[in-house]
Amino acid sequence: MLKVNAERLNQRLAFLSQFGSRPDGGVTRYALSAEEKAATDTVAGWMAEAGLEVRRDAVGNLFGRLAGKRQGPAVLTGSHLDSVPNGGNYDGPAGVLCALEAVAAMKEQGIVPALPIEVVSFIGEEGSRFAWGLLGSSFLAGEFPVAQIGELKDRSGVTLADALRSYGANPEAARTAKVEPGAYKAYVEVHIEQSGLLEARGLPVGIVSGIAGMCQLTGVIRGRAEHAGACPMELRRDPMPAAAEVVLEVERAARESGPSTRATVGFVQARPGAANVIPESVELSFDIRDLDAERRDACVERVSSYFRAVCERRGLSGEMVLQHTSTPIRCDDGVVGVMRDAAAVVGVEPFELASGAVHDGANVAAVCPVGMIFLRSRDGLSHAPGEFTSVEDVGVGCQLLGETLVRLAGA
Amino acid sequence: MLKVNAERLNQRLAFLSQFGSRPDGGVTRYALSAEEKAATDTVAGWMAEAGLEVRRDAVGNLFGRLAGKRQGPAVLTGSHLDSVPNGGNYDGPAGVLCALEAVAAMKEQGIVPALPIEVVSFIGEEGSRFAWGLLGSSFLAGEFPVAQIGELKDRSGVTLADALRSYGANPEAARTAKVEPGAYKAYVEVHIEQSGLLEARGLPVGIVSGIAGMCQLTGVIRGRAEHAGACPMELRRDPMPAAAEVVLEVERAARESGPSTRATVGFVQARPGAANVIPESVELSFDIRDLDAERRDACVERVSSYFRAVCERRGLSGEMVLQHTSTPIRCDDGVVGVMRDAAAVVGVEPFELASGAVHDGANVAAVCPVGMIFLRSRDGLSHAPGEFTSVEDVGVGCQLLGETLVRLAGA
């Protein structure tokens, strides 16, 4: 069995945390920032040290290739190194470094796979700088509208093209980052779990069955601003209780839809927002996801029609606007099967779970079969300074990844 | 009969609307802001022009004094110049400018009252910046806990003491703003009506019988921030639906309490407030009022215990904090009698109505007898850009005030 060095992997995770570190222990490492560059350059150095053939594509995605016994489609594995503002040290880097460690261990132990294996670090997965997540993998899959590369701007007005340029990448050649169909045999990504399911079950790792499709909407309910003391209850056109009814319906709709449906109101704002004024309007955000697109859409439809009914019943006007939607992805049965075999060898339960969060794999699925491994995350935390996965769990995940890669690439 | 200049009064109302004006025609003029200062300075100029003796107390309340034939307690009259966010041009300024116009007209027409008359503009009546309404009159009445002047903060963390300092006032001497018992013979305030009763009855003005008692609280419910897609519904500790339940209980409690009870949630904020993050906390404001203190307190108690129960049932922590309370007051029978006599002279029906909104008079009632005059407001609107009282109605209200002041101050 492949012997991975969990200590080295863990030390490298700790080393990367310096890039964009914040006083409270969190990390801010935006897409195409100097911090992402420094972390990526460091990983490139480790790749070279491990004897991989290092290259970058035109948008800055980093690849480290372990040659196979023969030519043929490579097995791709990795994740990303950027973070949300004040995020943690595991979301992203854990996947890149597990991939590097698994491949480095193979090299050190003289295991030469039949097909090549490539470790990848995608640029800008989080979408915290540009309002476009999964940036690197969207170029790889040809999903990014390259014509907009000079138009998409961050909050300070820097275009994606300029950001790529200062990163040292080559936006003019961005189209070349798209890979040909058949270039990869499979893509496998390790990522921390972003809820507490594995922790609750006492499992170090899990096999991902699919990635939920997201639907984000905004809603605004408009009534009439009036004096909170003077206006009798029966004369009010107050959007606040209407919004409250909708929030409760969102929760009910998701609970009654099934265990894979998640619906969240994360943003709410009343205007003018004063204690002694009946609000004129209340704005809400809706984030509704499911592994099953039909079930998700049914949930969206239920919330939308309830929203309309509440507005009508209360004499208010309101509208919901679709902001963003993504298609659910099922992980590949073949890859999942290989992972189950690998889990038996490693000696862990092949527990399957869905990913409610979107990952680069959702893009790469357009290019080749995709599989994912989740690592137990303390308190299910992610996108927060407190993210933590133990060295033991990272080791088990890396081991499971290594055995999966060996099987996918063949001997 | 006193001849007031309704046109001049109306032009001055329009002139003040520039301070804090907003693109949609509303006005935002917070307590102790540069906008409140500019409006107050303008009124101070008009006071001086009218020959009044102008002074400010230690917290920035503005006074313009018309000397009487003899020494003795003055008759106080006025209102405030601050507004709610995106409020209108009449709530507050109408009372200050009616008072100024009535006194200026007396001066111009050579009417010298027996007792002095003072026009007042109180700072910060609305409580939209600091969670403490009737700020200026609470200092005048000695109702403000001066020890907290360095602790009470606005939402950006500025203390009341610092706000007073940048306003040019003198927080160290705040205690001196408290007036001695016997300093004033009576207080009379003109204000727009804040519901549609006068409009429904076709009356230009009304005589206020009493002021509802207010209770303002803030509540915060704390859960756990998590990834909106990853965390299953059953593992969430989401404060948002809990807040929604509380909002609906506020509405039910007020409706079931009786027609004079009003309860409002005007402010809500989820943190961090991102569409794809389950909120860590939701903050709410509560404004609960009644003419009857016991009925109001029962409503507050019902909401508070429901709040606690929801937090407990949902595994959340939460607290409600009392921000401010005011006792319902009855207007003074003597002052109301004088107003009825004045109404007969002016030729308007002496229609009496209660105020659901709190006014500075609720504080001043601790110092001297209080009376109020309401002006008809279009659609009963207040705290909104659409506030409107016709020049004719403002004129009738000013006339009624003038005749009342003449009678209260004596000849």
Side-chain angles (χ1 to χ4, degrees):
Chain A
M1 195 168 78
L2 189 68
K3 268 186 71 80
V4 303
N5 187 339
E7 275 303 332
R8 173 170 64 182
L9 165 45
N10 206 52
Q11 277 160 20
R12 286 177 169 178
L13 272 167
F15 188 85
L16 288 187
S17 72
Q18 73 184 282
F19 303 113
S21 72
R22 293 168 50 96
D24 55 359
V27 63
T28 299
R29 202 183 296 138
Y30 287 113
L32 302 173
S33 63
E35 292 77 18
E36 194 194 33
K37 181 87 163 77
T40 306
D41 289 349
T42 302
V43 171
W46 291 333
M47 283 174 166
E49 199 183 298
L52 306 186
E53 184 194 324
V54 180
R55 71 179 171 91
R56 299 190 201 220
D57 68 15
V59 298
N61 292 320
L62 171 71
F63 298 84
R65 186 178 181 97
L66 175 70
K69 285 180 190 138
R70 57 179 175 91
Q71 298 294 317
V75 175
L76 189 66
T77 178
S79 190
H80 62 96
L81 294 173
D82 67 314
S83 80
V84 298
N86 210 21
N89 296 326
Y90 295 83
D91 180 345
V96 175
L97 295 183
C98 276
L100 174 60
E101 177 56 38
V103 172
M106 287 167 71
K107 185 95 177 171
E108 285 166 5
Q109 287 153 52
I111 300 173
V112 181
L115 291 172
I117 300 179
E118 273 193 13
V119 177
V120 63
S121 173
F122 288 116
I123 57 158
E125 193 264 355
E126 294 291 359
S128 299
R129 178 177 176 188
F130 297 96
W132 196 290
L134 317 182
L135 206 46
S137 57
S138 69
F139 280 100
L140 178 114
E143 304 268 348
F144 190 92
V146 176
Q148 287 175 32
I149 204 167
E151 288 161 29
L152 183 65
K153 286 179 181 160
D154 69 9
R155 291 208 174 84
S156 8
V158 178
T159 66
L160 176 55
D162 284 341
L164 283 166
R165 233 166 259 126
S166 33
Y167 191 77
N170 183 5
E172 282 69 28
R175 275 175 218 284
T176 64
K178 181 181 176 185
V179 296
E180 294 307 310
Y184 292 109
K185 188 187 175 191
Y187 172 67
V188 186
E189 178 169 353
V190 172
H191 202 281
I192 58 166
E193 194 210 344
Q194 294 177 280
S195 70
L197 223 54
L198 293 172
E199 189 176 56
R201 300 210 165 216
L203 297 171
V205 296
I207 296 173
V208 177
S209 54
I211 300 174
M214 178 203 329
C215 182
Q216 289 189 334
L217 307 98
T218 53
V220 60
I221 306 176
R222 293 189 190 83
R224 209 173 78 151
E226 291 189 82
H227 191 289
C231 187
M233 300 307 288
E234 68 274 16
L235 292 184
R236 296 179 175 211
R237 290 197 292 146
D238 184 351
M240 185 70 87
E245 288 193 67
V246 172
V247 166
L248 291 171
E249 177 68 3
V250 167
E251 186 185 49
R252 271 192 305 270
R255 283 188 170 162
E256 290 168 14
S257 167
S260 66
T261 310
R262 278 113 207 221
T264 307
V265 175
F267 172 85
V268 61
Q269 182 167 41
R271 288 176 202 272
N276 59 348
V277 184
I278 298 166
E280 186 181 348
S281 68
V282 176
E283 199 184 331
L284 300 163
S285 69
F286 304 92
D287 182 302
I288 301 175
R289 306 187 192 205
D290 202 295
L291 274 177
D292 181 274
E294 271 181 43
R295 201 160 45 216
R296 179 201 60 191
D297 294 346
C299 186
V300 170
E301 185 42 45
R302 174 174 165 175
V303 169
S304 305
S305 72
Y306 187 89
F307 181 96
R308 288 190 298 272
V310 167
C311 289
E312 195 179 320
R313 169 160 48 80
R314 288 180 173 269
L316 304 164
S317 67
E319 55 181 352
M320 280 176 76
V321 178
L322 180 67
Q323 297 292 337
H324 182 57
T325 181
S326 74
T327 313
I329 303 289
R330 289 214 61 86
C331 285
D332 181 73
D333 285 343
V335 176
V336 168
V338 169
M339 278 182 189
R340 298 181 71 93
D341 295 344
V345 171
V346 176
V348 293
E349 185 184 326
F351 175 69
E352 286 192 29
L353 76 175
S355 174
V358 177
H359 297 283
D360 284 311
N363 278 329
V364 185
V367 171
C368 66
V370 164
M372 285 191 77
I373 294 165
F374 272 175
L375 307 178
R376 170 165 55 188
S377 181
R378 187 177 62 193
D379 296 334
L381 262 192
S382 75
H383 290 189
E387 275 178 12
F388 177 75
T389 296
S390 71
V391 58
E392 292 79 14
D393 290 355
V394 172
V396 172
C398 182
Q399 191 79 47
L400 179 59
L401 174 68
E403 294 295 336
T404 301
L405 295 175
V406 164
R407 280 161 182 74
L408 286 169
Chain B
M1 196 167 79
L2 188 68
K3 269 186 71 78
V4 301
N5 187 340
E7 275 303 331
R8 172 169 65 184
L9 165 44
N10 207 50
Q11 277 160 20
R12 286 177 170 179
L13 272 167
F15 188 85
L16 288 187
S17 71
Q18 74 185 278
F19 302 114
S21 72
R22 291 167 53 95
D24 55 358
V27 63
T28 298
R29 202 182 294 138
Y30 286 113
L32 302 174
S33 64
E35 292 78 18
E36 193 193 34
K37 181 88 162 74
T40 305
D41 288 349
T42 302
V43 170
W46 290 334
M47 283 174 166
E49 199 183 297
L52 306 186
E53 184 193 324
V54 180
R55 70 180 173 87
R56 300 190 200 219
D57 67 15
V59 297
N61 292 321
L62 171 72
F63 297 86
R65 187 179 180 97
L66 176 71
K69 285 179 189 136
R70 57 180 177 88
Q71 298 294 317
V75 175
L76 188 67
T77 178
S79 191
H80 63 94
L81 294 174
D82 67 313
S83 81
V84 298
N86 209 20
N89 296 326
Y90 293 83
D91 180 346
V96 174
L97 294 182
C98 276
L100 175 60
E101 177 56 37
V103 171
M106 286 167 71
K107 185 95 176 173
E108 284 166 7
Q109 287 154 51
I111 300 174
V112 182
L115 291 172
I117 301 179
E118 273 192 14
V119 177
V120 63
S121 173
F122 289 116
I123 58 156
E125 193 263 356
E126 294 292 358
S128 299
R129 178 177 174 188
F130 296 97
W132 195 290
L134 316 182
L135 206 46
S137 57
S138 70
F139 280 100
L140 179 116
E143 304 269 348
F144 191 91
V146 177
Q148 287 176 30
I149 204 167
E151 287 161 30
L152 182 66
K153 286 178 182 161
D154 68 11
R155 290 205 174 89
S156 6
V158 178
T159 66
L160 176 55
D162 284 340
L164 283 166
R165 233 167 258 126
S166 31
Y167 191 77
N170 182 5
E172 282 68 29
R175 275 176 217 284
T176 64
K178 180 181 176 182
V179 296
E180 293 308 309
Y184 292 109
K185 188 185 174 192
Y187 172 67
V188 186
E189 178 169 353
V190 171
H191 202 281
I192 58 167
E193 194 210 344
Q194 294 175 280
S195 68
L197 222 56
L198 292 173
E199 189 176 55
R201 299 210 164 218
L203 297 171
V205 296
I207 296 173
V208 177
S209 56
I211 301 173
M214 179 205 328
C215 183
Q216 289 190 334
L217 307 98
T218 52
V220 59
I221 306 177
R222 291 188 192 84
R224 211 173 77 150
E226 290 188 83
H227 193 290
C231 187
M233 299 307 287
E234 68 275 16
L235 290 183
R236 296 180 175 212
R237 290 197 290 145
D238 183 351
M240 185 70 87
E245 288 193 67
V246 171
V247 166
L248 291 172
E249 176 69 3
V250 167
E251 186 185 48
R252 273 193 302 270
R255 283 188 167 159
E256 290 167 14
S257 169
S260 65
T261 309
R262 278 116 208 218
T264 308
V265 174
F267 172 84
V268 61
Q269 182 167 42
R271 289 178 201 272
N276 61 348
V277 183
I278 298 165
E280 187 180 347
S281 69
V282 176
E283 199 185 330
L284 300 163
S285 68
F286 303 92
D287 181 302
I288 301 175
R289 309 186 192 206
D290 203 296
L291 277 174
D292 181 90
E294 272 182 43
R295 202 159 43 217
R296 178 201 60 190
D297 295 345
C299 186
V300 170
E301 184 42 44
R302 175 174 163 174
V303 169
S304 305
S305 72
Y306 188 88
F307 181 96
R308 287 190 297 273
V310 167
C311 289
E312 196 179 320
R313 170 160 46 79
R314 287 180 173 269
L316 305 164
S317 68
E319 53 179 355
M320 280 177 76
V321 178
L322 180 66
Q323 295 293 339
H324 182 57
T325 181
S326 73
T327 313
I329 67 152
R330 291 214 59 84
C331 286
D332 181 72
D333 286 343
V335 176
V336 169
V338 169
M339 279 185 189
R340 298 181 71 93
D341 294 346
V345 171
V346 175
V348 292
E349 186 184 323
F351 174 69
E352 287 191 28
L353 75 174
S355 173
V358 177
H359 298 283
D360 285 311
N363 278 328
V364 186
V367 173
C368 65
V370 164
M372 284 191 79
I373 295 166
F374 271 174
L375 308 178
R376 170 165 56 189
S377 182
R378 187 177 62 192
D379 296 335
L381 263 194
S382 75
H383 289 189
E387 277 179 10
F388 178 75
T389 297
S390 71
V391 57
E392 293 79 14
D393 290 356
V394 172
V396 172
C398 182
Q399 191 80 46
L400 179 59
L401 174 67
E403 294 294 339
T404 301
L405 294 175
V406 165
R407 279 162 182 75
L408 286 170

